[in-house]
Amino acid sequence: MIFCVTNQALCKVDFLQQLRSIARAKPDAIILREKMLSEEVYGQLAQQVLEICKANQVQLICNTFIRVAEQLAIPVQISFSSLSQTGTLSVPFGVSVHSLEEAIQAEQAGAVYLIAGHIFETSCKPNLPPRGLLFLREICQTVTIPVFGIGGIHVQNAASVLQTGAAGVCVMSDFMQADAPESLIQKLRQMD
């Protein structure tokens, strides 16, 4: 599976225009990860992106903003530190994890999937060493829910991520900067 993770600061063209192109290319999901926005502005953007996703039959996943996800009745991606809020969640949720212990706790708390990272060096986390493929493999072999790798994943290394037992990959930079998202999706799908 292929998840597109957004970061409008990386876009070379209008953000919604880029998302329309990406949605037409049919990733399995788009995670709207716009951390710099207020909840109100994020909610307005999420509504627009949801329309784009619905038109292309692509799953939209909110990031961080639980109330927005609940208002739109779509899944939400939360940080491990937000797990304490899951008792009241009315939508499915995934959790970002950075250790095996976090992965086990997130699964026990009811997460429907995990995003584990960062796997390779990435400009998003310039001073933090990557956790690598063995880290990802250990999580995939331990939990029973789908695990997705994130961090520095490109066409050139996506196959190695999938070989760990991961259910899929999360890609940010390549999608945000792709002139032809359809071509990127085709290349990533060949890794499956």
Side-chain angles (χ1 to χ4, degrees), residues 120-174:
F120 303 109
E121 283 188 26
T122 173
S123 57
C124 293
K125 302 197 182 332
N127 299 317
L128 204 58
R131 290 180 173 82
L133 294 169
L134 292 177
F135 155 81
L136 183 59
R137 181 182 305 278
E138 185 178 30
I139 290 175
C140 293
Q141 290 175 343
T142 303
V143 301
T144 60
I145 57 177
V147 179
F148 296 84
I150 195 169
I153 297 174
H154 306 282
V155 168
Q156 296 81 357
N157 59 21
S160 64
V161 173
L162 296 174
Q163 288 164 2
T164 67
V169 295
C170 298
V171 178
M172 179 191 290
S173 301
D174 287 1

Side-chain angles (χ1 to χ4, degrees), residues 8-45:
Q8 59 185 321
L10 297 177
C11 282
K12 300 182 284 186
V13 298
D14 176 76
F15 182 56
L16 290 177
Q17 177 185 328
Q18 186 71 7
L19 287 185
R20 283 185 197 94
S21 296
I22 292 166
R24 281 194 298 270
K26 301 250 192 261
D28 296 288
I30 294 176
I31 300 176
L32 188 62
R33 184 185 178 268
E34 300 303 319
K35 293 182 170 185
M36 306 311 284
L37 301 180
S38 68
E39 185 168 356
E40 181 183 353
V41 174
Y42 181 93
Q44 293 166 356
L45 178 62

Side-chain angles (χ1 to χ4, degrees), residues 71-109:
Q71 288 165 358
L72 298 176
I74 60 175
V76 65
Q77 175 69 28
I78 61 172
S79 65
F80 180 78
S81 61
S82 298
L83 260 185
S84 60
Q85 301 172 43
T86 59
T88 59
L89 270 175
S90 65
V91 293
F93 65 95
V95 179
S96 299
V97 297
H98 304 94
S99 71
L100 180 60
E101 294 74 25
E102 288 181 1
I104 292 167
Q105 288 179 43
E107 181 178 36
Q108 290 170 345

Side-chain angles (χ1 to χ4, degrees), residues 23-30 49-60 189:
R24 281 194 298 270
K26 301 250 192 261
D28 296 288
I30 294 176
V49 177
L50 183 58
E51 295 307 314
I52 292 168
C53 288
K54 281 182 176 177
N56 292 280
Q57 298 175 318
V58 172
Q59 175 69 62
L60 177 63
R189 292 256 184 248

